Every structure is written in structure tokens, then in C-alpha cells.
Amino acid sequence: GGQSAHWGARQAQRTAWGARMAIAASAQSGSVLSLVDTSGDDVRFQLAGEEEIPRLELWVGDELFADDVDVVRFDSKERRFSIDGTIDDEEDGESYEVDGEFQVAEAERNMVAATLALLVARAGVAWEGEVPLPLPPKLEAKLVSDELKASRPGVVLLWAHLLDVFGGDEGAALAAALKNTAIIFPYL
């Protein structure tokens, strides 16, 4: 009885860790975020196009849901993301407005929000609602120039990874970041 309950808890930890690593791995290229939402749908955001500022596409399963995402809204408490965009219909040549939403597990909220915010920034898409993951004031204070402020989405993603490494212990993660700023500010 006790051993199988322990195994179930360890398996749940491994599954959550595996999901976070899959999110991190898909984000490493800087152009794709793949995840499974709380309803079990495979969701993928992908930068596309040859333009200097790429389009942000949204795929649900194998179906292109939006070939140009316009707005992403984030509700941190509910772990909910709402999307507005357009899809071009190849058959009739028309462009249609689409909207949708998805929710992520608590353990994935920060990583998904930070990764999606980075893609949104790269594509010039509007982000509405809450910030993906607040930076502690001591780290925020290091973003002094316009160039550094423009790098904020990447810094937030690195902060999310650092928090994950320290098991969500913000104090320990902050101490590490202040001791070696290159961890989340590689350009300083």
C-alpha cells in the first residue's frame, strides 16, 4: 500500500519534470513552444515566415488553428491563455478571425508563460493581462538601458529556468543569480 503510493508520487514527479523538460527543450531553438494543455490537447506555437519579424502560428494537434496570432492574454491565477488571431482559408482565399484558450498545469505555468512571452516578443504580438513571471526587484533593477529592457523576455525565461532548478525557491534562485549574474544576464 505505502510503497505503491510512494511510487505513484515519484511517477507524478517524473511526469511533471518530463513535461517541464519537454517545454524547455522545445523552447531552446527559440522558435517553437510545444505543450499538452490540461484538457490533453497538443498545443504548439511556432514562429514562421521569412520576414524580419516572423508570424506566430498556433497549432492544435496537427491542425493549424491560427496562421497569424494577434493577441495573447494571460491570467496567471487561472493558468489560462487566450488567443486572438487569423487563419487564411486556401479554398476561398478569405482570412477569418479565430479565438481560443487553453489552460496549463500549475507546475508548467511559469515556464510556458515565459517561453510564450519570448515568442510573442519576437513576433511583435500583443501581450495582454498579467506579466508572464515577475522578476525580483533586484534583478529588474539590472535592466537599465533600452537594450537591456528589450532583452527582458529572454531574462524572464532564464529566470523561470533558474527557479525550476531551485525547485521554486525564489530566495535560493535569487542568491544564485546575484552571485553569478551571467546565469540570467549572459550579456552583462
Side-chain angles (χ1 to χ4, degrees), residues 75-104:
D75 180 336
S76 179
K77 181 180 176 191
E78 296 293 323
R79 306 175 322 274
R80 185 175 317 282
F81 297 83
S82 303
I83 312 300
D84 292 340
T86 57
I87 183 84
D88 291 332
D89 187 326
E90 293 178 9
E91 291 181 22
D92 66 12
E94 296 292 321
S95 183
Y96 296 95
E97 292 183 4
V98 294
D99 61 68
E101 64 179 36
F102 66 96
Q103 190 173 25
V104 296

Side-chain angles (χ1 to χ4, degrees), residues 1-14:
Q3 188 171 10
S4 64
H6 174 71
W7 172 253
R10 295 287 296 159
Q11 188 62 32
Q13 286 176 333
R14 286 189 193 109

Side-chain angles (χ1 to χ4, degrees), residues 38-92:
T38 55
S39 64
D41 291 325
D42 290 318
V43 177
R44 184 175 81 241
F45 289 89
Q46 177 174 308
L47 295 177
E50 300 298 321
E51 303 83 18
E52 185 177 328
I53 299 176
R55 293 181 333 275
L56 183 58
E57 297 177 339
L58 169 58
W59 294 76
V60 179
D62 293 330
E63 184 178 332
L64 180 61
F65 182 80
D67 56 20
D68 197 1
V69 173
D70 298 316
V71 178
V72 174
R73 283 178 214 81
F74 177 52
D75 180 336
S76 179
K77 181 180 176 191
E78 296 293 323
R79 306 175 322 274
R80 185 175 317 282
F81 297 83
S82 303
I83 312 300
D84 292 340
T86 57
I87 183 84
D88 291 332
D89 187 326
E90 293 178 9
E91 291 181 22
D92 66 12

